[in-house]
Amino acid sequence: MIKKKAVVSLGHEALGYTTLEQRDAVKITARALADLVEAGYQLTITHSNGPQVSMIHKAMTELRRVYIDYTPAPMCVCSAMSQGYVGYDIQNSLRAELLSRGISIPVSTILTQVTVDPYDEAFYEPTKVIGRYMSAEDAEIEVKKGNYVLEEPGKGFRRVVAAPKPIDIVEIDSIRTLAESGQIVIACGGGGIPVIEQSHALKGASAVIEKDAIAGRLASDLQADELIILTGVPSVYRNFGTPQQEALHTLTVPQARDLISQDQFEAGTMLPKIDAAISYLKKQPSGSVLITSIGAVADALKGKNGTRITNAY
């Protein structure tokens, strides 16, 4: 049987927000991923890392506060740590779930770097909030280092980093080789480790990459048949959160663009997913995108739930 190639993007709900939540959440996620394998999909998996990288950044910052001889870990290093930590849990849970079903497929995690443009406008207007709450004094120290901070009234200050657009996936050839051999690959976790090319060297950037943006790029680079985005809601909605809320089970790219122009999708939640879908379908016109939740994925594959986005023909 010819398998469908799919890139699956996992959101926060698939991983939880703490180490214990993640341990339990990935077991449920592994079952949904194994269902996709049994349904005939060859998977490449990417995932969010917002809570995880924030936790690591916070821990490394506190370590520096307690032991002054330690050097604070830059964002690129925290991102690398989160990729390994999340990938470790996903690959072990998925491997165990597959073996329990009599399926023996290698599952591996690739530490993935993604190049960004040092002149991307995002570096001048950071938007991603990370790390612990700081006092005004600590915030001033961060500002003197050249970092951006944001005050949340009544709570304190938090660091803000840029979210530049991805350019190239550095390890794409390795990812493609494993995927084409039939293995399950976990890659580009948390959007990938953002790096800037300097001659032959790659320098880590103080930034994070939108994981939905890299999911679309990964799917188009691998010429995947489908991009499956698993998020916190079972479908895409018109008038979300209002009495007029309406599930949209099918969308064409022109319809999606029209809804964007109507401000139907929230900037920090659904809009990046719709943008990723459009970007992927532009480069892979015959592909399709499925947006749904982990709990609804089985029904979504049967057309009973979820939102399917395609090009208009």
Side-chain angles (χ1 to χ4, degrees):
M1 181 179 74
I2 298 176
K3 292 189 174 183
K4 291 182 180 180
K5 294 189 294 183
V7 167
V8 179
S9 176
L10 303 175
H12 299 324
E13 291 75 12
L15 304 173
Y17 290 79
T18 67
T19 53
L20 293 179
E21 283 184 9
Q22 181 170 300
R23 183 196 62 189
D24 296 334
V26 292
K27 294 176 183 177
I28 298 171
T29 299
R31 291 197 287 270
L33 294 172
D35 288 343
L36 289 171
V37 173
E38 288 192 324
Y41 285 92
Q42 189 280 316
L43 304 181
T44 301
I45 301 163
T46 189
H47 58 82
S48 67
N49 75 337
Q52 289 79 11
V53 76
S54 188
M55 175 184 66
I56 291 168
H57 180 268
K58 191 184 302 183
M60 298 305 292
T61 300
E62 289 303 309
L63 182 67
R64 173 66 176 83
R65 286 162 59 87
V66 176
Y67 300 101
I68 60 174
D69 291 337
Y70 278 78
T71 302
M75 274 304 301
C76 55
V77 173
C78 294
S79 180
M81 290 179 178
S82 73
Q83 276 196 18
Y85 155 53
V86 177
Y88 163 75
D89 272 352
I90 295 174
Q91 71 180 39
N92 283 348
S93 290
L94 181 53
R95 176 181 179 274
E97 180 64 28
L98 290 171
L99 288 174
S100 74
R101 301 185 189 197
I103 302 171
S104 180
I105 300 176
V107 185
S108 57
T109 299
I110 293 183
L111 198 65
T112 316
Q113 303 171 95
V114 175
T115 58
V116 297
D117 182 352
Y119 301 106
D120 190 306
E121 291 183 2
F123 283 109
Y124 305 100
E125 295 184 7
T127 58
K128 290 289 185 179
V129 181
I130 64 160
R132 66 184 178 91
Y133 285 102
M134 297 179 285
S135 66
E137 291 77 14
D138 287 343
E140 186 178 352
I141 292 172
E142 289 297 323
V143 171
K144 287 180 179 178
K145 292 179 185 176
N147 296 325
Y148 290 83
V149 297
L150 173 71
E151 182 178 7
E152 295 185 25
K155 294 183 178 180
F157 297 81
R158 295 182 72 189
R159 183 157 169 212
V160 186
V161 297
K165 295 178 181 177
I167 298 176
D168 291 314
I169 299 170
V170 177
E171 287 78 20
I172 189 62
D173 289 338
S174 299
I175 297 167
R176 185 181 292 112
T177 297
L178 290 177
E180 289 181 351
S181 72
Q183 298 192 34
I184 296 173
V185 188
I186 303 163
C188 297
I193 304 164
V195 293
I196 295 170
E197 288 190 276
Q198 295 183 336
S199 297
H200 297 295
L202 295 172
K203 180 181 178 182
S206 182
V208 295
I209 297 170
E210 173 60 57
K211 63 96 178 170
D212 292 312
I214 203 62
R217 180 59 188 265
L218 181 61
S220 59
D221 281 359
L222 294 177
Q223 297 182 312
D225 300 300
E226 290 188 32
L227 169 60
I228 300 174
I229 300 176
L230 300 182
T231 186
V233 291
S235 299
V236 176
Y237 295 89
R238 190 199 311 270
N239 301 319
F240 180 69
T242 73
Q244 291 76 40
Q245 178 173 299
E246 173 192 0
L248 302 170
H249 296 299
T250 61
L251 278 176
T252 64
V253 168
Q255 289 170 336
R257 287 196 173 114
D258 185 52
L259 290 169
I260 290 174
S261 70
Q262 298 173 30
D263 293 326
Q264 285 285 339
F265 307 124
E266 188 175 349
T269 55
M270 188 55 69
L271 181 58
K273 296 166 179 56
I274 301 298
D275 283 340
I278 293 172
S279 175
Y280 158 69
L281 290 169
K282 181 178 180 180
K283 295 182 179 180
Q284 195 72 6
S286 62
S288 70
V289 179
L290 176 62
I291 300 178
T292 190
S293 63
I294 287 177
V297 69
D299 284 340
L301 292 177
K302 301 172 185 175
K304 297 179 180 179
N305 213 327
T307 300
R308 180 74 64 176
I309 306 175
T310 60
N311 276 299
Y313 295 101

